[in-house]
């Protein structure tokens, strides 16, 4: 498994994962009707730095530049400024993992990489603005990586199956 900077040419492999995640209606605030362009802008828009996690084809040997031989995308994340100007020193990040790749440590590896990359980019902290409280794997992961739960936004997320549930703000200082 390898994490590398995402390229626009990765988007065709990323889009089905994006669709699968938002279809669940349990972790992201996107509606299922979000356009492909909305998805593209979310992961490749202005100010967005995205990364993909790929399996390593042929044990990392003989890889060429095309998508298929660079490996199958298992998940991805992005880093952006949480706010402009005087708040630009705080990063925000978003993560998606393909369903068949979950529970294999990919989210943890991406989380650890995100923290490292955010430090390298000069951010002083990372804030997650909208972690869904019923998303137990994410809640446990962020706590295990040293994020603090700052507060809950009561009923802020309309879960597809459970109705209105809390969203959580997580924060980690990087300096």
């Amino acid at each position: 498994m390898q994490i590398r900077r995402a390229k626009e040419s990765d988007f065709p492999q990323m889009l089905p994962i994006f669709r699968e995640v938002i279809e669940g209606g349990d972790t992201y605030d996107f509606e299922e009707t979000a356009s492909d362009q909305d998805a593209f802008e979310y992961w490749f828009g202005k100010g967005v730095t995205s990364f993909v996690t790929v399996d390593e084809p042929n044990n990392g040997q003989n890889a060429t530049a095309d998508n298929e031989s660079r490996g199958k995308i298992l998940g991805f994340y992005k880093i952006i400024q949480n706010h402009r100007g005087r708040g630009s020193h705080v990063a925000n990040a978003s993560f998606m993992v393909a369903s068949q790749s979950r529970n294999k440590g990919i989210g943890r590896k991406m989380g650890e990489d995100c923290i490292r990359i955010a430090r390298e980019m000069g951010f002083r902290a990372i804030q997650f603005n909208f972690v869904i409280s019923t998303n137990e794997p994410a809640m446990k992961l962020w706590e295990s990586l040293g994020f603090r739960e700052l507060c809950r936004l009561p009923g802020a997320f309309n879960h597809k199956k459970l109705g209105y549930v809390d969203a959580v703000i997580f924060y980690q200082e990087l300096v």
Side-chain angles (χ1 to χ4, degrees):
M1 182 172 16
Q2 169 191 18
I3 299 175
R4 62 167 172 77
R5 181 103 182 238
K7 300 175 182 174
E8 290 184 9
S9 61
D10 293 321
F11 187 68
Q13 276 196 71
M14 295 167 70
L15 186 59
I17 298 168
F18 174 86
R19 292 264 167 242
E20 173 189 46
V21 169
I22 67 169
E23 178 68 29
D26 57 354
T27 59
Y28 265 81
D29 59 357
F30 279 97
E31 293 287 343
E32 293 89 342
T33 57
S35 71
D36 292 358
Q37 186 61 38
D38 290 338
F40 183 84
E41 289 298 320
Y42 189 74
W43 296 103
F44 292 100
K46 183 178 179 185
V48 177
T49 304
S50 292
F51 296 85
V52 292
T53 301
V54 296
D55 61 0
E56 295 183 271
N58 303 321
N59 297 321
Q61 299 174 10
N62 302 322
T64 63
D66 67 23
N67 277 339
E68 191 171 314
S69 58
R70 282 190 285 155
K72 179 180 178 185
I73 294 176
L74 309 172
F76 38 92
Y77 76 91
K78 73 173 193 174
I79 299 177
I80 60 171
Q81 293 177 342
N82 199 42
H83 291 283
R84 296 183 301 262
R86 296 192 180 274
S88 64
H89 60 282
V90 178
N92 179 268
S94 299
F95 300 79
M96 288 187 174
V97 177
S99 62
Q100 71 272 17
S101 300
R102 293 184 190 143
N103 301 312
K104 296 179 181 178
I106 293 168
R108 174 169 294 281
K109 288 188 185 311
M110 290 193 305
E112 292 168 347
D113 193 66
C114 177
I115 292 167
R116 179 185 63 79
I117 294 291
R119 280 190 178 112
E120 288 177 6
M121 293 174 76
F123 287 109
R124 296 178 56 86
I126 301 175
Q127 179 174 316
F128 299 148
N129 299 324
F130 213 72
V131 178
I132 309 312
S133 63
T134 55
N135 184 352
E136 291 180 25
M139 295 288 291
K140 289 177 183 175
L141 175 61
W142 304 135
E143 288 173 359
S144 75
L145 289 176
F147 285 83
R148 290 184 295 133
E149 180 179 320
L150 294 184
C151 69
R152 288 180 177 242
L153 308 170
F157 181 73
N158 189 2
H159 191 287
K160 191 173 185 176
K161 294 178 184 168
L162 302 176
Y164 295 101
V165 299
D166 296 350
V168 178
I169 297 176
F170 277 100
Y171 192 82
Q172 182 177 129
E173 292 183 33
L174 300 176
V175 293

